[in-house]
Amino acid sequence: MIVAPQAKREAYREAGWWGDRTLADLFFANAAAHPDRLALVDAPNRADFAFGEPQRLTYAELAAEVERLAGALVAAGIGKDDVIVIQLPNIGEFVALYFAAATIGAIVSPVAVQYRSHELATMFDIVQPKAFVCGTRAKGMDHVAVVRPLLGEHVRLMTVGPDAPADAVDLSAEPARPDLLAAHRAANPVDADDVFTICWTSGTTGVPKGVPRSHNHWVGIAPGTYTTARLEDGDVMLNPFPLINMASIGGITMSWLRIAGTMVLHHPFDPQVYLAQIATERPSFTIAPPAVLTMLLQNEALLARIDLSSLRTIGSGSAPLAPAMVAGFQERLGIPVINIFGSNEGMSLITGPDDVPDPVERASFFPGALHLPPYHGGAPALIMESRLVPPGGGDTITDEGVPGELQIRGPAVFEGYWRAPDRTEEAFTDDGFFKTGDLFQIEQGGRFYRFVGRCKDLIIRGGVNISPEEIDQLLGGHPDLAEACVFALPDPVMGERIGVAAVPRPGSEATLDAVTAYLREQDLAVFKLPERLFVFDSLPRNVTNKVMRSEVRDMALAMIEEGA
């Protein structure tokens, strides 16, 4: 079990970043204070991608469901510190299962609904789960059939939904067991420093790494969103990101806990359903990928038909934000877009309108020192210590415009990868900083960091380092492009040259001359101009909606071989 050292735990508690209450404690306190307040709302198209009618649960109703499921888990033999792998879309049962597990001290390892046996087998081997939970129905998928060969004798199959298999624990039909649950709670107290989740991330090898986070790790990162997004007691939040990673858990769910708000679920992403939910559920805050926000801003007819007036702020990230998009939302619609750069390991770089009022600056920069009031009270303090170090090692970078790897430590940063001591040792410095693998540089006299790319994504052209993300960001404002992705092409003379994959907007075309002319207008250095263009219908993305740059590059190289 990976637990923070005692001295660190005491310091974070004294500062207010960490506390003694688990996430279950925080949830049940909200339910006691606001039993009749609407807590959770399913997507209106739930029956299309999963099963059953959409639910609208008050805090009292959700609390009863959490306790029923907690009793069902105990009855099925799930105990404290047992791992449960859950593969569900964003439906109410998923949220209830999180807090049911928190109630009994079990560990949730959430996985993407798109994963199949290849990914699941590796994850099972790492976390050795006691149970696997999935839906009996999922659009285009049969999760039960996929996972069954992996279960063996030691992993209990559990399902939600109709027509449960005979050998599964039917969580949808299990009765409440208050006496059994009370006895378990009394015998198995849960500590806020206990591991609560094991989410997943991939390294350069593509092998998944389990990222354990305690209840307090999640509490520690929460102020980054609810403070920056200007959230208030009881606000409605629309959550379109899968309930498996930092954006959805740390950004939305933890903010929901803090303000005792209403969480509206959405999944899989459907622009029409998403916009309709904004109109009907009236959220104050939502998150959306940059490409979606750019698409929306470019679609005048759609903008004229929808009502976004309830939104106080919108969060976006996972890719660099186009300054034109961030400025457009603020200047045309009066909605500040928050620039969020996070990770499952606990990175917390957030630029909100209160810290950086100018939208163009907000699209490109992150405060080098973000001070926020801790979750449990106290004076505003640094949510994350950070420094930039040359990728190959060396002294801390203090000069502007010099790319360096971001290293971080603080109350939101995890302690190490699950059952992977070698990977943990590689990922941390001797003085406890986590090496993120992300390149930033100092800007404006040390006031800001600017993201310039991943260490492994740098294009090295004639010995000069070029950030593909920098060029991606500029192309986000190109009027004829829906999206674009820059990458390295091998070259015998220069080492590497710059390629760009471009997706034209409907009715437009993409040419290399037009792309380079636009970049020249942005005053980009000539050596950073793309030298070959590839037209794509769409860019490949992973389950968290990030463009897979390496796959784009492979597809472009295949097009070259085919003579395209």
Side-chain angles (χ1 to χ4, degrees), residues 33-34 76 139-140 157 200 234 284 306 322 329 383 468:
H34 308 284
K139 185 176 181 180
L157 176 63
W200 296 94
S284 298
I306 61 174
F329 265 86
I383 191 171

Side-chain angles (χ1 to χ4, degrees), residues 27-28 30-31 34-35 37-41 55-70 91-100 103 256-257 261-263 265:
F27 167 73
F28 284 117
N30 286 346
H34 308 284
R37 181 179 289 180
L38 189 61
L40 197 63
V41 177
Q55 301 182 77
R56 301 180 72 86
L57 300 177
T58 65
Y59 271 94
E61 292 167 337
L62 182 56
E65 180 69 355
V66 168
E67 295 208 319
R68 183 187 70 81
L69 287 171
I91 55 176
E93 288 89 337
F94 201 169
V95 178
L97 279 166
Y98 265 114
F99 291 98
T103 299
W256 170 74
L257 269 183
T262 300
M263 179 158 52
L265 299 175

Side-chain angles (χ1 to χ4, degrees), residues 56-398:
R56 301 180 72 86
L57 300 177
T58 65
Y59 271 94
E61 292 167 337
L62 182 56
E65 180 69 355
V66 168
E67 295 208 319
R68 183 187 70 81
L69 287 171
L73 294 176
V74 173
I78 306 302
K80 188 175 184 298
D81 299 327
D82 285 338
V83 177
I84 308 168
V85 173
I86 302 180
Q87 187 175 40
L88 287 171
N90 283 8
I91 55 176
E93 288 89 337
F94 201 169
V95 178
L97 279 166
Y98 265 114
F99 291 98
T103 299
I104 67 171
I107 300 170
V108 174
S109 184
V111 300
V113 292
Q114 297 93 330
Y115 284 167
R116 297 186 63 81
S117 59
H118 173 75
E119 294 86 2
L120 292 176
T122 302
M123 293 170 173
F124 275 32
D125 186 57
I126 294 171
V127 299
Q128 300 292 305
K130 191 74 171 286
F132 174 84
V133 182
C134 66
T136 55
R137 297 179 188 171
K139 185 176 181 180
M141 304 174 190
D142 187 342
H143 290 140
V144 171
V146 169
V147 78
R148 195 178 289 283
L150 307 178
L151 297 175
E153 299 178 359
H154 305 293
V155 184
R156 194 76 184 268
L157 176 63
M158 300 181 174
T159 62
V160 294
D163 306 318
D167 61 337
V169 176
D170 183 359
L171 293 175
S172 294
E174 287 289 300
R177 295 179 172 87
D179 294 340
L180 180 65
L181 179 58
H184 173 88
R185 281 170 162 159
N188 299 276
V190 184
D191 192 283
D193 292 327
D194 290 343
V195 172
F196 172 51
T197 59
I198 303 174
C199 298
W200 296 94
T201 188
S202 293
T204 55
T205 63
V207 178
K209 293 177 288 189
V211 181
R213 294 181 65 81
S214 70
H215 301 256
N216 270 329
H217 282 128
W218 286 115
V219 165
I221 207 165
T225 299
Y226 67 71
T227 301
T228 311
R230 303 170 172 172
L231 291 174
E232 301 172 357
D233 179 71
D235 270 346
V236 178
M237 292 171 288
L238 174 57
N239 185 6
F241 281 20
L243 284 158
I244 63 171
N245 55 28
M246 181 57 71
S248 191
I249 305 171
I252 294 286
T253 307
M254 289 306 305
S255 297
W256 170 74
L257 269 183
R258 171 68 183 188
I259 65 170
T262 300
M263 179 158 52
V264 179
L265 299 175
H266 176 99
H267 192 177
F269 193 83
D270 181 311
Q272 297 301 323
V273 175
Y274 178 72
L275 294 173
Q277 286 179 285
I278 292 176
T280 58
E281 302 295 346
R282 311 299 293 156
S284 298
F285 176 70
T286 187
I287 50 179
V292 170
L293 296 181
T294 298
M295 174 275 295
L296 179 59
L297 198 64
Q298 292 175 342
N299 193 326
E300 298 290 346
L302 185 59
L303 275 179
R305 296 199 308 269
I306 61 174
D307 181 3
L308 303 177
S309 61
S310 69
L311 290 172
R312 195 177 300 128
T313 50
I314 299 175
S316 192
S318 79
L321 306 187
M325 179 273 287
V326 180
F329 265 86
Q330 183 159 320
E331 294 165 2
R332 294 178 54 192
L333 303 174
I335 304 173
V337 174
I338 298 168
N339 193 356
I340 303 172
F341 198 109
S343 70
N344 285 329
E345 288 90 345
M347 190 189 310
S348 185
L349 289 174
I350 301 177
T351 310
D354 295 327
D355 294 304
V356 184
D358 180 75
V360 174
E361 286 189 341
R362 198 181 323 126
S364 303
F365 300 133
F366 298 95
L370 182 61
H371 290 79
L372 296 170
Y375 193 104
H376 292 293
L382 270 178
I383 191 171
M384 183 181 75
E385 294 180 75
S386 63
R387 66 190 182 195
L388 302 185
V389 177
D395 295 334
T396 299
I397 295 169
T398 57

Side-chain angles (χ1 to χ4, degrees), residues 1-79:
M1 189 69 68
I2 296 177
V3 179
Q6 181 67 26
K8 180 187 288 189
R9 299 201 301 271
E10 291 176 355
Y12 289 158
R13 276 178 164 79
E14 184 177 352
W17 291 111
W18 289 8
D20 296 322
R21 290 186 292 171
T22 69
L23 299 193
D25 295 333
L26 297 174
F27 167 73
F28 284 117
N30 286 346
H34 308 284
D36 298 324
R37 181 179 289 180
L38 189 61
L40 197 63
V41 177
D42 272 328
N45 60 332
R46 169 182 166 135
D48 296 334
F49 64 84
F51 52 83
E53 293 298 315
Q55 301 182 77
R56 301 180 72 86
L57 300 177
T58 65
Y59 271 94
E61 292 167 337
L62 182 56
E65 180 69 355
V66 168
E67 295 208 319
R68 183 187 70 81
L69 287 171
L73 294 176
V74 173
I78 306 302

Side-chain angles (χ1 to χ4, degrees), residues 484-555:
C485 174
V486 169
F487 52 90
L489 289 173
D491 184 82
V493 177
M494 302 298 292
E496 292 179 329
R497 291 187 183 272
I498 305 172
V500 58
V503 179
R505 291 183 62 194
S508 300
E509 64 176 358
T511 66
L512 182 61
D513 287 345
V515 165
T516 56
Y518 178 81
L519 292 173
R520 287 177 188 274
E521 291 173 3
Q522 312 308 308
D523 205 25
L524 184 70
V526 173
F527 70 86
K528 296 181 181 180
L529 295 176
E531 296 162 275
R532 184 154 184 173
L533 180 139
F534 303 82
V535 176
F536 282 40
D537 293 330
S538 62
L539 298 182
R541 297 177 179 273
N542 64 14
V543 296
T544 59
N545 207 49
K546 289 184 180 180
V547 173
M548 295 185 287
R549 196 178 305 276
S550 61
E551 188 167 324
V552 171
R553 181 176 184 270
D554 290 343
M555 294 168 67

